[in-house]
Amino acid sequence: MAVETTATGGSEAARNQFALFRTRRFWPLFTVQFFGAFNDQTFKNAFVALLTYRLADRLALSEGEVDAYVQIAAGLYILPFALCAATAGQIADGMDKARMMRWVKFAEIVLMGIAAAAYLTQSLPILFGLMFLMGAQSAFFAPIKYGVLPQYMRRDEMPAANGLIQGATFLAILLGQIFGAKLVLTEGGVAGVSAAVVLIAVIGWIASFAAPPAPPQGPRPKVNWVMPVAMVRIIAQCWGEKPAMFAMLALGWFWFAGATFLSLIFQIAKFSLLASENVALILLTSFSVGIAVGAVIYSVIVKGRVTLKTAPWGAAGIGVGALGFCFAVRAYGGDLADRAELLTVGEFLARWDAWPVLGALIFMAMFAGLYVTPLNVEYQVKAPEGRKGRFVACSNVIDSLSMVASAGAAAVLIGLVGVPREIVFALAGATGFIAAYVVWRRARREE
């Protein structure tokens, strides 16, 4: 597997991150990841939008019931990451990751075929079940995605490769959210989403055949098929690698807060901002583009170095942005109390008090990109050779447990305690100040 180098000995990609797109070591994996993330979000957000803006009225669901159903859907999607990730990591470390990638992407085609039927019948039980199965499929892909990067990339290419994949993943999340939520609410949109999710899965599967071989780099691990036991054991096995484990725990905090942010966007748009689903998409756009921009800025700042220097600033920025968002939402819409119709995008953007809401969200998201990307690089580089798939799996277990806890906490605070959504948003973000201090101390120790 050839690596492009310059006359000075460094890789060309380390100097110009976009040079990676000329190599088979990168573009097939990038393509598969992009379309996989896009398809996940198309399916998930089409379901959330359909539930919030169509089925809620048809089924006479209250605000609290809508919130609860959305949190249940989020939990069902994330729970398999905790249950399956450890076993998936063991499998990934014991076989060619490119071959495993093709099998996992084929499974996506099968699941999306079932999803098409579920959308056409608008069956809530089947759609909820598919949330769980899609989470399981994504859990089996995750150790391939990040476990194979250190195998394909030089060390000085890792920041650029991670920045591009991180930024593109959030861009795919954004586009999938817009595509799924917007399409499903149009005339004939349910049929359109049904066809689209199958077609996108096929595109990702075809791209996977271009990925170079990635054979195991260590002894084949014994696969533990009792998944809850495997979940506990993989955390215990990775615990001794302190630098990698610290990065994974720090990422777990982000996904606790980030899952809270993303799961509340549609409800904040409809019930707090009194705005249509298109305004919810504007909010999601602001968040996803902000993270993508932050991830790319990180790779420009560090110039190929593996360092945590941007992460403390990122965590603190998340806290500032979340508090600003909360204040902006609470100051919004004093003249809308008696309005019966939801605001259109034009009406929303014409309001002076809408811009602080958008500005705070973009600010927070850009700093999130500066936080998550260096931590992803940190644990991928510092995980031992031959065990990287299991470390990715361990990170997925931690992230998914964090997100399930986030969904449960949000459901209790909003549904049972009655805490306003924007306050829950701010509480999650404010923990960023604690994370900033902890990561800052760690970064200082490593300098």
PDB file of all heavy atoms in Angstrom, residues 254-285:
ATOM      1  N   PHE A 254     -18.945  14.189  25.736  1.00  0.00           N
ATOM      2  CA  PHE A 254     -19.499  14.959  24.617  1.00  0.00           C
ATOM      3  C   PHE A 254     -20.776  14.330  24.097  1.00  0.00           C
ATOM      4  O   PHE A 254     -21.756  15.044  23.811  1.00  0.00           O
ATOM      5  CB  PHE A 254     -18.496  15.073  23.473  1.00  0.00           C
ATOM      6  CG  PHE A 254     -19.133  15.661  22.232  1.00  0.00           C
ATOM      7  CD1 PHE A 254     -19.354  17.030  22.152  1.00  0.00           C
ATOM      8  CD2 PHE A 254     -19.550  14.852  21.188  1.00  0.00           C
ATOM      9  CE1 PHE A 254     -19.985  17.577  21.030  1.00  0.00           C
ATOM     10  CE2 PHE A 254     -20.166  15.388  20.071  1.00  0.00           C
ATOM     11  CZ  PHE A 254     -20.381  16.763  19.989  1.00  0.00           C
ATOM     12  N   TRP A 255     -20.805  13.013  23.960  1.00  0.00           N
ATOM     13  CA  TRP A 255     -22.004  12.382  23.397  1.00  0.00           C
ATOM     14  C   TRP A 255     -23.164  12.397  24.372  1.00  0.00           C
ATOM     15  O   TRP A 255     -24.321  12.361  23.952  1.00  0.00           O
ATOM     16  CB  TRP A 255     -21.675  10.973  22.907  1.00  0.00           C
ATOM     17  CG  TRP A 255     -20.866  11.047  21.652  1.00  0.00           C
ATOM     18  CD1 TRP A 255     -19.562  10.686  21.479  1.00  0.00           C
ATOM     19  CD2 TRP A 255     -21.304  11.582  20.402  1.00  0.00           C
ATOM     20  NE1 TRP A 255     -19.165  10.958  20.198  1.00  0.00           N
ATOM     21  CE2 TRP A 255     -20.205  11.498  19.515  1.00  0.00           C
ATOM     22  CE3 TRP A 255     -22.503  12.109  19.937  1.00  0.00           C
ATOM     23  CZ2 TRP A 255     -20.284  11.936  18.193  1.00  0.00           C
ATOM     24  CZ3 TRP A 255     -22.587  12.544  18.631  1.00  0.00           C
ATOM     25  CH2 TRP A 255     -21.489  12.456  17.771  1.00  0.00           C
ATOM     26  N   PHE A 256     -22.883  12.480  25.667  1.00  0.00           N
ATOM     27  CA  PHE A 256     -23.968  12.694  26.628  1.00  0.00           C
ATOM     28  C   PHE A 256     -24.632  14.046  26.354  1.00  0.00           C
ATOM     29  O   PHE A 256     -25.853  14.152  26.256  1.00  0.00           O
ATOM     30  CB  PHE A 256     -23.437  12.645  28.058  1.00  0.00           C
ATOM     31  CG  PHE A 256     -24.489  12.918  29.102  1.00  0.00           C
ATOM     32  CD1 PHE A 256     -25.246  11.884  29.610  1.00  0.00           C
ATOM     33  CD2 PHE A 256     -24.724  14.209  29.563  1.00  0.00           C
ATOM     34  CE1 PHE A 256     -26.237  12.135  30.569  1.00  0.00           C
ATOM     35  CE2 PHE A 256     -25.710  14.468  30.504  1.00  0.00           C
ATOM     36  CZ  PHE A 256     -26.468  13.430  31.007  1.00  0.00           C
ATOM     37  N   ALA A 257     -23.806  15.083  26.220  1.00  0.00           N
ATOM     38  CA  ALA A 257     -24.346  16.422  25.962  1.00  0.00           C
ATOM     39  C   ALA A 257     -24.891  16.530  24.547  1.00  0.00           C
ATOM     40  O   ALA A 257     -25.986  17.060  24.323  1.00  0.00           O
ATOM     41  CB  ALA A 257     -23.259  17.472  26.193  1.00  0.00           C
ATOM     42  N   GLY A 258     -24.135  16.006  23.562  1.00  0.00           N
ATOM     43  CA  GLY A 258     -24.548  16.147  22.167  1.00  0.00           C
ATOM     44  C   GLY A 258     -25.853  15.444  21.858  1.00  0.00           C
ATOM     45  O   GLY A 258     -26.669  15.943  21.070  1.00  0.00           O
ATOM     46  N   ALA A 259     -26.068  14.276  22.444  1.00  0.00           N
ATOM     47  CA  ALA A 259     -27.332  13.569  22.217  1.00  0.00           C
ATOM     48  C   ALA A 259     -28.507  14.370  22.763  1.00  0.00           C
ATOM     49  O   ALA A 259     -29.600  14.376  22.182  1.00  0.00           O
ATOM     50  CB  ALA A 259     -27.283  12.190  22.875  1.00  0.00           C
ATOM     51  N   THR A 260     -28.290  15.052  23.880  1.00  0.00           N
ATOM     52  CA  THR A 260     -29.340  15.917  24.428  1.00  0.00           C
ATOM     53  C   THR A 260     -29.675  17.029  23.442  1.00  0.00           C
ATOM     54  O   THR A 260     -30.852  17.301  23.166  1.00  0.00           O
ATOM     55  CB  THR A 260     -28.890  16.524  25.767  1.00  0.00           C
ATOM     56  OG1 THR A 260     -28.554  15.480  26.671  1.00  0.00           O
ATOM     57  CG2 THR A 260     -29.990  17.378  26.376  1.00  0.00           C
ATOM     58  N   PHE A 261     -28.644  17.664  22.884  1.00  0.00           N
ATOM     59  CA  PHE A 261     -28.870  18.758  21.939  1.00  0.00           C
ATOM     60  C   PHE A 261     -29.694  18.282  20.744  1.00  0.00           C
ATOM     61  O   PHE A 261     -30.720  18.868  20.393  1.00  0.00           O
ATOM     62  CB  PHE A 261     -27.537  19.319  21.429  1.00  0.00           C
ATOM     63  CG  PHE A 261     -26.609  19.813  22.497  1.00  0.00           C
ATOM     64  CD1 PHE A 261     -25.243  19.824  22.289  1.00  0.00           C
ATOM     65  CD2 PHE A 261     -27.086  20.272  23.716  1.00  0.00           C
ATOM     66  CE1 PHE A 261     -24.367  20.283  23.261  1.00  0.00           C
ATOM     67  CE2 PHE A 261     -26.230  20.730  24.697  1.00  0.00           C
ATOM     68  CZ  PHE A 261     -24.865  20.735  24.470  1.00  0.00           C
ATOM     69  N   LEU A 262     -29.227  17.206  20.107  1.00  0.00           N
ATOM     70  CA  LEU A 262     -29.851  16.773  18.848  1.00  0.00           C
ATOM     71  C   LEU A 262     -31.257  16.225  19.058  1.00  0.00           C
ATOM     72  O   LEU A 262     -32.134  16.400  18.208  1.00  0.00           O
ATOM     73  CB  LEU A 262     -28.963  15.727  18.168  1.00  0.00           C
ATOM     74  CG  LEU A 262     -27.625  16.260  17.634  1.00  0.00           C
ATOM     75  CD1 LEU A 262     -26.773  15.113  17.106  1.00  0.00           C
ATOM     76  CD2 LEU A 262     -27.840  17.303  16.549  1.00  0.00           C
ATOM     77  N   SER A 263     -31.484  15.548  20.187  1.00  0.00           N
ATOM     78  CA  SER A 263     -32.801  14.955  20.409  1.00  0.00           C
ATOM     79  C   SER A 263     -33.878  15.997  20.711  1.00  0.00           C
ATOM     80  O   SER A 263     -35.074  15.711  20.614  1.00  0.00           O
ATOM     81  CB  SER A 263     -32.741  13.939  21.562  1.00  0.00           C
ATOM     82  OG  SER A 263     -32.516  14.588  22.800  1.00  0.00           O
ATOM     83  N   LEU A 264     -33.467  17.228  21.090  1.00  0.00           N
ATOM     84  CA  LEU A 264     -34.447  18.250  21.466  1.00  0.00           C
ATOM     85  C   LEU A 264     -34.740  19.258  20.360  1.00  0.00           C
ATOM     86  O   LEU A 264     -35.640  20.089  20.509  1.00  0.00           O
ATOM     87  CB  LEU A 264     -33.944  19.012  22.703  1.00  0.00           C
ATOM     88  CG  LEU A 264     -33.849  18.214  24.006  1.00  0.00           C
ATOM     89  CD1 LEU A 264     -33.227  19.063  25.105  1.00  0.00           C
ATOM     90  CD2 LEU A 264     -35.225  17.715  24.430  1.00  0.00           C
ATOM     91  N   ILE A 265     -33.997  19.196  19.240  1.00  0.00           N
ATOM     92  CA  ILE A 265     -34.110  20.241  18.226  1.00  0.00           C
ATOM     93  C   ILE A 265     -35.519  20.358  17.655  1.00  0.00           C
ATOM     94  O   ILE A 265     -36.081  21.460  17.565  1.00  0.00           O
ATOM     95  CB  ILE A 265     -33.089  20.005  17.091  1.00  0.00           C
ATOM     96  CG1 ILE A 265     -31.660  20.274  17.589  1.00  0.00           C
ATOM     97  CG2 ILE A 265     -33.394  20.885  15.886  1.00  0.00           C
ATOM     98  CD1 ILE A 265     -31.373  21.704  17.940  1.00  0.00           C
ATOM     99  N   PHE A 266     -36.121  19.246  17.251  1.00  0.00           N
ATOM    100  CA  PHE A 266     -37.448  19.320  16.637  1.00  0.00           C
ATOM    101  C   PHE A 266     -38.491  19.834  17.630  1.00  0.00           C
ATOM    102  O   PHE A 266     -39.370  20.621  17.266  1.00  0.00           O
ATOM    103  CB  PHE A 266     -37.866  17.941  16.093  1.00  0.00           C
ATOM    104  CG  PHE A 266     -37.347  17.661  14.713  1.00  0.00           C
ATOM    105  CD1 PHE A 266     -36.151  17.000  14.535  1.00  0.00           C
ATOM    106  CD2 PHE A 266     -38.051  18.079  13.586  1.00  0.00           C
ATOM    107  CE1 PHE A 266     -35.656  16.744  13.267  1.00  0.00           C
ATOM    108  CE2 PHE A 266     -37.562  17.829  12.313  1.00  0.00           C
ATOM    109  CZ  PHE A 266     -36.359  17.156  12.143  1.00  0.00           C
ATOM    110  N   GLN A 267     -38.375  19.379  18.894  1.00  0.00           N
ATOM    111  CA  GLN A 267     -39.358  19.811  19.885  1.00  0.00           C
ATOM    112  C   GLN A 267     -39.171  21.291  20.256  1.00  0.00           C
ATOM    113  O   GLN A 267     -40.149  22.016  20.456  1.00  0.00           O
ATOM    114  CB  GLN A 267     -39.247  18.933  21.139  1.00  0.00           C
ATOM    115  CG  GLN A 267     -39.727  17.505  20.943  1.00  0.00           C
ATOM    116  CD  GLN A 267     -38.766  16.694  20.085  1.00  0.00           C
ATOM    117  OE1 GLN A 267     -37.568  16.663  20.343  1.00  0.00           O
ATOM    118  NE2 GLN A 267     -39.276  16.068  19.053  1.00  0.00           N
ATOM    119  N   ILE A 268     -37.917  21.738  20.355  1.00  0.00           N
ATOM    120  CA  ILE A 268     -37.673  23.155  20.625  1.00  0.00           C
ATOM    121  C   ILE A 268     -38.216  24.007  19.486  1.00  0.00           C
ATOM    122  O   ILE A 268     -38.843  25.055  19.707  1.00  0.00           O
ATOM    123  CB  ILE A 268     -36.170  23.416  20.846  1.00  0.00           C
ATOM    124  CG1 ILE A 268     -35.757  22.894  22.230  1.00  0.00           C
ATOM    125  CG2 ILE A 268     -35.838  24.907  20.737  1.00  0.00           C
ATOM    126  CD1 ILE A 268     -34.270  22.979  22.518  1.00  0.00           C
ATOM    127  N   ALA A 269     -38.008  23.554  18.248  1.00  0.00           N
ATOM    128  CA  ALA A 269     -38.501  24.312  17.096  1.00  0.00           C
ATOM    129  C   ALA A 269     -40.022  24.450  17.138  1.00  0.00           C
ATOM    130  O   ALA A 269     -40.565  25.544  16.949  1.00  0.00           O
ATOM    131  CB  ALA A 269     -38.065  23.648  15.794  1.00  0.00           C
ATOM    132  N   LYS A 270     -40.716  23.349  17.395  1.00  0.00           N
ATOM    133  CA  LYS A 270     -42.181  23.382  17.326  1.00  0.00           C
ATOM    134  C   LYS A 270     -42.803  24.036  18.554  1.00  0.00           C
ATOM    135  O   LYS A 270     -43.683  24.895  18.434  1.00  0.00           O
ATOM    136  CB  LYS A 270     -42.738  21.961  17.166  1.00  0.00           C
ATOM    137  CG  LYS A 270     -44.263  21.928  17.042  1.00  0.00           C
ATOM    138  CD  LYS A 270     -44.787  20.525  16.785  1.00  0.00           C
ATOM    139  CE  LYS A 270     -46.311  20.532  16.633  1.00  0.00           C
ATOM    140  NZ  LYS A 270     -46.847  19.167  16.369  1.00  0.00           N
ATOM    141  N   PHE A 271     -42.359  23.645  19.746  1.00  0.00           N
ATOM    142  CA  PHE A 271     -43.065  24.043  20.957  1.00  0.00           C
ATOM    143  C   PHE A 271     -42.470  25.288  21.640  1.00  0.00           C
ATOM    144  O   PHE A 271     -43.192  25.991  22.347  1.00  0.00           O
ATOM    145  CB  PHE A 271     -43.100  22.878  21.954  1.00  0.00           C
ATOM    146  CG  PHE A 271     -43.786  21.647  21.415  1.00  0.00           C
ATOM    147  CD1 PHE A 271     -43.104  20.441  21.313  1.00  0.00           C
ATOM    148  CD2 PHE A 271     -45.106  21.691  20.997  1.00  0.00           C
ATOM    149  CE1 PHE A 271     -43.722  19.306  20.817  1.00  0.00           C
ATOM    150  CE2 PHE A 271     -45.733  20.559  20.493  1.00  0.00           C
ATOM    151  CZ  PHE A 271     -45.048  19.363  20.400  1.00  0.00           C
ATOM    152  N   SER A 272     -41.170  25.551  21.453  1.00  0.00           N
ATOM    153  CA  SER A 272     -40.550  26.722  22.081  1.00  0.00           C
ATOM    154  C   SER A 272     -40.429  27.902  21.127  1.00  0.00           C
ATOM    155  O   SER A 272     -40.633  29.052  21.514  1.00  0.00           O
ATOM    156  CB  SER A 272     -39.164  26.367  22.633  1.00  0.00           C
ATOM    157  OG  SER A 272     -39.249  25.334  23.597  1.00  0.00           O
ATOM    158  N   LEU A 273     -40.071  27.605  19.870  1.00  0.00           N
ATOM    159  CA  LEU A 273     -39.925  28.667  18.873  1.00  0.00           C
ATOM    160  C   LEU A 273     -41.185  28.853  18.039  1.00  0.00           C
ATOM    161  O   LEU A 273     -41.256  29.778  17.227  1.00  0.00           O
ATOM    162  CB  LEU A 273     -38.732  28.370  17.959  1.00  0.00           C
ATOM    163  CG  LEU A 273     -37.380  28.186  18.649  1.00  0.00           C
ATOM    164  CD1 LEU A 273     -36.294  27.857  17.632  1.00  0.00           C
ATOM    165  CD2 LEU A 273     -37.003  29.425  19.451  1.00  0.00           C
ATOM    166  N   LEU A 274     -42.176  27.969  18.222  1.00  0.00           N
ATOM    167  CA  LEU A 274     -43.447  28.027  17.492  1.00  0.00           C
ATOM    168  C   LEU A 274     -43.197  28.092  15.985  1.00  0.00           C
ATOM    169  O   LEU A 274     -43.791  28.888  15.260  1.00  0.00           O
ATOM    170  CB  LEU A 274     -44.270  29.244  17.949  1.00  0.00           C
ATOM    171  CG  LEU A 274     -44.565  29.302  19.453  1.00  0.00           C
ATOM    172  CD1 LEU A 274     -45.310  30.574  19.810  1.00  0.00           C
ATOM    173  CD2 LEU A 274     -45.338  28.073  19.903  1.00  0.00           C
ATOM    174  N   ALA A 275     -42.319  27.203  15.522  1.00  0.00           N
ATOM    175  CA  ALA A 275     -41.873  27.239  14.128  1.00  0.00           C
ATOM    176  C   ALA A 275     -42.072  25.881  13.468  1.00  0.00           C
ATOM    177  O   ALA A 275     -42.181  24.846  14.131  1.00  0.00           O
ATOM    178  CB  ALA A 275     -40.407  27.658  14.059  1.00  0.00           C
ATOM    179  N   SER A 276     -42.070  25.898  12.150  1.00  0.00           N
ATOM    180  CA  SER A 276     -42.328  24.700  11.352  1.00  0.00           C
ATOM    181  C   SER A 276     -41.126  23.759  11.347  1.00  0.00           C
ATOM    182  O   SER A 276     -40.047  24.094  11.832  1.00  0.00           O
ATOM    183  CB  SER A 276     -42.641  25.103   9.907  1.00  0.00           C
ATOM    184  OG  SER A 276     -41.471  25.623   9.294  1.00  0.00           O
ATOM    185  N   GLU A 277     -41.354  22.579  10.728  1.00  0.00           N
ATOM    186  CA  GLU A 277     -40.271  21.613  10.612  1.00  0.00           C
ATOM    187  C   GLU A 277     -39.105  22.152   9.790  1.00  0.00           C
ATOM    188  O   GLU A 277     -37.955  21.758   9.984  1.00  0.00           O
ATOM    189  CB  GLU A 277     -40.770  20.308   9.986  1.00  0.00           C
ATOM    190  CG  GLU A 277     -41.209  20.374   8.546  1.00  0.00           C
ATOM    191  CD  GLU A 277     -42.665  20.771   8.365  1.00  0.00           C
ATOM    192  OE1 GLU A 277     -43.290  21.228   9.353  1.00  0.00           O
ATOM    193  OE2 GLU A 277     -43.179  20.615   7.252  1.00  0.00           O
ATOM    194  N   ASN A 278     -39.376  23.076   8.876  1.00  0.00           N
ATOM    195  CA  ASN A 278     -38.289  23.662   8.089  1.00  0.00           C
ATOM    196  C   ASN A 278     -37.352  24.501   8.956  1.00  0.00           C
ATOM    197  O   ASN A 278     -36.148  24.571   8.698  1.00  0.00           O
ATOM    198  CB  ASN A 278     -38.850  24.520   6.958  1.00  0.00           C
ATOM    199  CG  ASN A 278     -39.549  23.686   5.905  1.00  0.00           C
ATOM    200  OD1 ASN A 278     -39.168  22.552   5.655  1.00  0.00           O
ATOM    201  ND2 ASN A 278     -40.583  24.229   5.290  1.00  0.00           N
ATOM    202  N   VAL A 279     -37.898  25.136   9.981  1.00  0.00           N
ATOM    203  CA  VAL A 279     -37.048  25.878  10.914  1.00  0.00           C
ATOM    204  C   VAL A 279     -36.204  24.902  11.732  1.00  0.00           C
ATOM    205  O   VAL A 279     -35.028  25.171  12.017  1.00  0.00           O
ATOM    206  CB  VAL A 279     -37.898  26.781  11.825  1.00  0.00           C
ATOM    207  CG1 VAL A 279     -37.043  27.407  12.924  1.00  0.00           C
ATOM    208  CG2 VAL A 279     -38.576  27.868  10.993  1.00  0.00           C
ATOM    209  N   ALA A 280     -36.781  23.756  12.100  1.00  0.00           N
ATOM    210  CA  ALA A 280     -35.988  22.734  12.796  1.00  0.00           C
ATOM    211  C   ALA A 280     -34.800  22.314  11.937  1.00  0.00           C
ATOM    212  O   ALA A 280     -33.689  22.108  12.449  1.00  0.00           O
ATOM    213  CB  ALA A 280     -36.862  21.525  13.125  1.00  0.00           C
ATOM    214  N   LEU A 281     -35.008  22.213  10.634  1.00  0.00           N
ATOM    215  CA  LEU A 281     -33.924  21.849   9.734  1.00  0.00           C
ATOM    216  C   LEU A 281     -32.865  22.947   9.666  1.00  0.00           C
ATOM    217  O   LEU A 281     -31.669  22.661   9.529  1.00  0.00           O
ATOM    218  CB  LEU A 281     -34.474  21.546   8.342  1.00  0.00           C
ATOM    219  CG  LEU A 281     -35.406  20.327   8.248  1.00  0.00           C
ATOM    220  CD1 LEU A 281     -35.941  20.165   6.842  1.00  0.00           C
ATOM    221  CD2 LEU A 281     -34.674  19.069   8.693  1.00  0.00           C
ATOM    222  N   ILE A 282     -33.295  24.203   9.754  1.00  0.00           N
ATOM    223  CA  ILE A 282     -32.330  25.303   9.803  1.00  0.00           C
ATOM    224  C   ILE A 282     -31.460  25.181  11.059  1.00  0.00           C
ATOM    225  O   ILE A 282     -30.235  25.387  11.015  1.00  0.00           O
ATOM    226  CB  ILE A 282     -33.060  26.666   9.800  1.00  0.00           C
ATOM    227  CG1 ILE A 282     -33.773  26.902   8.464  1.00  0.00           C
ATOM    228  CG2 ILE A 282     -32.093  27.808  10.094  1.00  0.00           C
ATOM    229  CD1 ILE A 282     -32.846  27.095   7.297  1.00  0.00           C
ATOM    230  N   LEU A 283     -32.066  24.830  12.183  1.00  0.00           N
ATOM    231  CA  LEU A 283     -31.303  24.650  13.416  1.00  0.00           C
ATOM    232  C   LEU A 283     -30.321  23.487  13.283  1.00  0.00           C
ATOM    233  O   LEU A 283     -29.157  23.593  13.697  1.00  0.00           O
ATOM    234  CB  LEU A 283     -32.252  24.402  14.595  1.00  0.00           C
ATOM    235  CG  LEU A 283     -33.227  25.531  14.942  1.00  0.00           C
ATOM    236  CD1 LEU A 283     -34.141  25.109  16.086  1.00  0.00           C
ATOM    237  CD2 LEU A 283     -32.482  26.809  15.316  1.00  0.00           C
ATOM    238  N   LEU A 284     -30.778  22.384  12.713  1.00  0.00           N
ATOM    239  CA  LEU A 284     -29.892  21.237  12.514  1.00  0.00           C
ATOM    240  C   LEU A 284     -28.760  21.582  11.553  1.00  0.00           C
ATOM    241  O   LEU A 284     -27.617  21.148  11.731  1.00  0.00           O
ATOM    242  CB  LEU A 284     -30.694  20.045  11.973  1.00  0.00           C
ATOM    243  CG  LEU A 284     -31.638  19.377  12.966  1.00  0.00           C
ATOM    244  CD1 LEU A 284     -32.529  18.357  12.259  1.00  0.00           C
ATOM    245  CD2 LEU A 284     -30.854  18.700  14.085  1.00  0.00           C
ATOM    246  N   THR A 285     -29.077  22.360  10.528  1.00  0.00           N
ATOM    247  CA  THR A 285     -28.057  22.807   9.586  1.00  0.00           C
ATOM    248  C   THR A 285     -26.988  23.618  10.301  1.00  0.00           C
ATOM    249  O   THR A 285     -25.781  23.407  10.117  1.00  0.00           O
ATOM    250  CB  THR A 285     -28.682  23.659   8.464  1.00  0.00           C
ATOM    251  OG1 THR A 285     -29.637  22.878   7.754  1.00  0.00           O
ATOM    252  CG2 THR A 285     -27.629  24.168   7.500  1.00  0.00           C
TER     253      THR A 285
END
